[in-house]
Amino acid sequence: MGKPYILLTNDDGVDAPGLLALKKAIEPLGEIAILAPDHNWSAAGHPRTMHKPLRVEEVRLADGSIAYASNGAPSDCVALAVLGFFPKRPDLVVSGINLGGNMGYDVTYSGTVAAAIEAAIFGIPAIAVSLDTFSPDADYSAAAEFAARLAEYVLEKGLPPHAFLNVNVPAIPKEQIKGVQVTRLGKRFYEDQLIKRQDPRGKDYYWLGGGPPKDILEEGTDVGAVARGFISVTPLHLDMTDYKLLEALRSWEIFRE
Amino acid sequence: MGKPYILLTNDDGVDAPGLLALKKAIEPLGEIAILAPDHNWSAAGHPRTMHKPLRVEEVRLADGSIAYASNGAPSDCVALAVLGFFPKRPDLVVSGINLGGNMGYDVTYSGTVAAAIEAAIFGIPAIAVSLDTFSPDADYSAAAEFAARLAEYVLEKGLPPHAFLNVNVPAIPKEQIKGVQVTRLGKRFYEDQLIKRQDPRGKDYYWLGGGPPKDILEEGTDVGAVARGFISVTPLHLDMTDYKLLEALRSWEIFRE
């Protein structure tokens, strides 16, 4: 095998500083291709753009290097890249570094994670990386450095088919990070409220909004690890089957006819 | 407990015949509230609309009954309903009946399933129902009848917190349906292609497209059951953690520092 071919994408948009930090850290590992959204897709879920044509523009990152920007979602960017926009199929997809953690149930909404899910569907190893802060002055260096180290391991050891790694990094100075924990998905609850307002014409409209999430900081979970100052690596897969419930359902009469 | 309060939604839009069929079948079980998208959201994933205000309009279904239509996604409709648009929190959310199966990896894209995921995040039992055809003349009666029977069971027995049921019904005459199987998620692969075209100004654009999915028809899976003429009920949960990989990762040096 020659140099690994690594696709980078994100959901904050191609000009986000987290993507540039990721690129600089991962560059030494192989040949890098960047295809990312031309705008921010936060909380966009895992859409597949089928009803509108996708555009791809060549752009330049802040370091002068060439990247590609698409009007599609992060998952579309991965599909474009894998299905032939670039001359080679990627050996690894890394998505991020997202501004804002993606833990617990966040993974069902997150565009950063959706890009990794899309790669996993194609059977390509993937890593999603998020930094647990919304500060625009965020320092991505610890997250980028760890992402590069982890990417090196994944390139060497591989991942089981259709599995991927979801990484969350606490936004604290590098020397204060206590280590790395392998975790399961934790519980993060948003106490969203329905806010009802009236427009100038007197018609109602609504916002779904709320404060920061309430995390249940159990030992061994992503939210627990990050809250305690650890980098969290959660192995995820696409099989959402609840096998325990599957067995329990067999006793329901409706399934025994 | 009084009459159960049941929320219906879908992703084909409030005026889709699958929603009306579902409503007619489920009506006898309790008090019904309908809040569904005002347009089709197919393959929209699980977005959370945060950057634009949500509107809700009162509309009338083809049977003259009142329903509500929102410009939000199916998951937004569930959040609106649960967070207070209606006077009561639903006891059960049923999403569908979708025109088109949602099996295997489809569940990561599906708006029908995303509505059930949103309900499960709120801790409300949910059922997603899909009919495995894209024919506009689809007959929803068998799917609607089964959805109502299953809803009755779920109202009586409950589901574990944050779990939900994903139902797929084969599009064959009712008398040919062989029964019901409790299944796990199967493997469904789309052989999508990247189609490159040029617009009238000579600029490239792309479609992600392909033919029908290739299913691996394993025994015990949703795709396998439906292909053999069974109704498939797959219990799903929100914990995408790959516990087997979690154990395997512990041996990686990067996690033992």
Side-chain angles (χ1 to χ4, degrees):
Chain A
M1 172 168 140
K3 255 184 152 183
Y5 196 59
I6 304 169
L7 172 69
L8 305 185
T9 191
N10 74 351
D11 89 325
D12 288 337
V14 72
D15 54 4
L19 181 63
L20 187 63
L22 184 65
K23 183 225 163 198
K24 284 181 175 166
I26 282 195
E27 216 156 33
L29 299 184
E31 195 180 338
I32 308 292
I34 299 180
L35 176 51
D38 58 16
H39 67 279
N40 193 312
W41 277 79
S42 292
H46 186 200
R48 166 54 65 89
T49 300
M50 296 188 299
H51 303 295
K52 71 169 191 207
L54 293 167
R55 299 278 184 173
V56 183
E57 302 283 342
E58 188 180 306
V59 296
R60 286 204 183 259
L61 300 186
D63 69 350
S65 62
I66 285 173
Y68 295 87
S70 163
N71 60 338
S75 39
D76 294 321
C77 290
V78 172
L80 281 164
V82 173
L83 292 173
F85 180 80
F86 293 117
K88 282 185 279 186
R89 186 181 163 97
D91 299 302
L92 173 69
V93 174
V94 187
S95 170
I97 299 168
N98 192 62
L99 185 63
N102 281 304
M103 295 181 268
Y105 303 147
D106 288 349
V107 301
T108 68
Y109 299 104
S110 160
T112 308
V113 175
I117 289 177
E118 186 74 20
I121 290 175
F122 282 114
I124 297 171
I127 305 172
V129 188
S130 305
L131 183 63
D132 191 34
T133 178
F134 289 105
S135 161
D137 306 321
D139 175 3
Y140 293 95
S141 60
E145 196 183 289
F146 179 75
R149 287 184 57 215
L150 185 61
E152 203 174 349
Y153 269 84
V154 170
L155 284 167
E156 191 197 312
K157 294 174 181 280
L159 290 176
H162 312 301
F164 62 101
L165 301 179
N166 186 43
V167 178
N168 283 277
V169 179
I172 53 180
K174 200 182 303 191
E175 59 280 7
Q176 288 175 28
I177 292 179
K178 289 192 188 135
V180 183
Q181 284 188 358
V182 184
T183 58
R184 64 180 190 278
L185 279 185
K187 295 200 172 69
R188 155 162 282 195
F189 293 98
Y190 289 90
E191 304 199 311
D192 280 347
Q193 289 180 320
L194 183 64
I195 299 156
K196 185 174 174 174
R197 298 212 173 129
Q198 286 197 328
D199 69 18
R201 292 185 190 105
K203 275 197 72 173
D204 294 335
Y205 65 94
Y206 303 86
W207 293 101
L208 295 171
K214 291 264 161 71
D215 294 335
I216 299 183
L217 302 179
E218 291 169 287
E219 195 74 49
T221 64
D222 49 6
V223 286
V226 169
R228 292 185 183 91
F230 289 87
I231 294 174
S232 163
V233 178
T234 313
L236 300 179
H237 62 178
L238 304 174
D239 188 357
M240 297 173 75
T241 308
D242 184 336
Y243 287 94
K244 214 170 131 190
L245 178 54
L246 195 156
E247 285 313 312
L249 288 180
R250 292 195 198 281
S251 72
W252 288 21
E253 233 171 65
I254 190 173
F255 301 124
R256 284 188 292 153
E257 288 158 10
Chain B
M1 172 169 142
K3 254 185 151 181
Y5 195 60
I6 304 170
L7 173 70
L8 305 185
T9 191
N10 74 350
D11 91 325
D12 288 338
V14 72
D15 53 5
L19 181 62
L20 186 63
L22 184 64
K23 184 225 162 200
K24 284 182 177 167
I26 282 195
E27 217 156 31
L29 299 183
E31 197 180 337
I32 308 293
I34 300 181
L35 177 50
D38 60 14
H39 68 279
N40 194 312
W41 278 79
S42 292
H46 185 200
R48 165 53 65 91
T49 300
M50 296 188 298
H51 304 295
K52 73 167 189 207
L54 293 167
R55 300 279 183 173
V56 183
E57 303 282 343
E58 188 181 305
V59 296
R60 287 204 180 259
L61 300 187
D63 68 352
S65 60
I66 287 172
Y68 295 88
S70 163
N71 60 338
S75 39
D76 294 323
C77 291
V78 172
L80 282 165
V82 173
L83 293 172
F85 179 79
F86 294 118
K88 284 185 280 187
R89 186 180 163 96
D91 301 302
L92 173 69
V93 174
V94 187
S95 170
I97 299 168
N98 192 62
L99 186 63
N102 281 304
M103 295 181 269
Y105 303 148
D106 288 348
V107 301
T108 67
Y109 299 104
S110 162
T112 308
V113 175
I117 290 177
E118 186 74 19
I121 289 175
F122 282 114
I124 297 171
I127 305 173
V129 189
S130 305
L131 183 63
D132 191 35
T133 178
F134 289 106
S135 162
D137 306 321
D139 175 2
Y140 293 94
S141 59
E145 194 182 292
F146 178 75
R149 287 185 57 214
L150 185 61
E152 204 174 349
Y153 269 83
V154 170
L155 284 168
E156 190 197 312
K157 294 173 180 282
L159 290 176
H162 312 301
F164 62 100
L165 301 179
N166 185 43
V167 178
N168 283 277
V169 178
I172 55 180
K174 200 183 301 189
E175 60 280 6
Q176 287 175 29
I177 292 180
K178 288 192 190 138
V180 183
Q181 285 188 356
V182 185
T183 57
R184 65 180 191 278
L185 281 184
K187 294 200 174 68
R188 155 163 281 194
F189 294 98
Y190 289 89
E191 305 200 309
D192 279 348
Q193 289 181 320
L194 184 64
I195 300 157
K196 185 176 176 174
R197 299 212 173 129
Q198 287 198 328
D199 70 19
R201 294 185 189 102
K203 275 197 72 174
D204 293 335
Y205 65 93
Y206 302 86
W207 294 101
L208 296 171
K214 289 265 161 72
D215 294 335
I216 299 184
L217 302 180
E218 289 169 287
E219 194 75 46
T221 65
D222 50 5
V223 287
V226 170
R228 291 183 186 93
F230 290 87
I231 294 173
S232 162
V233 178
T234 313
L236 300 180
H237 61 178
L238 303 174
D239 188 357
M240 297 172 73
T241 308
D242 185 335
Y243 287 94
K244 212 171 134 190
L245 179 54
L246 195 157
E247 286 313 311
L249 289 180
R250 293 196 197 279
S251 72
W252 288 21
E253 232 171 65
I254 189 173
F255 300 123
R256 285 187 294 152
E257 288 160 8

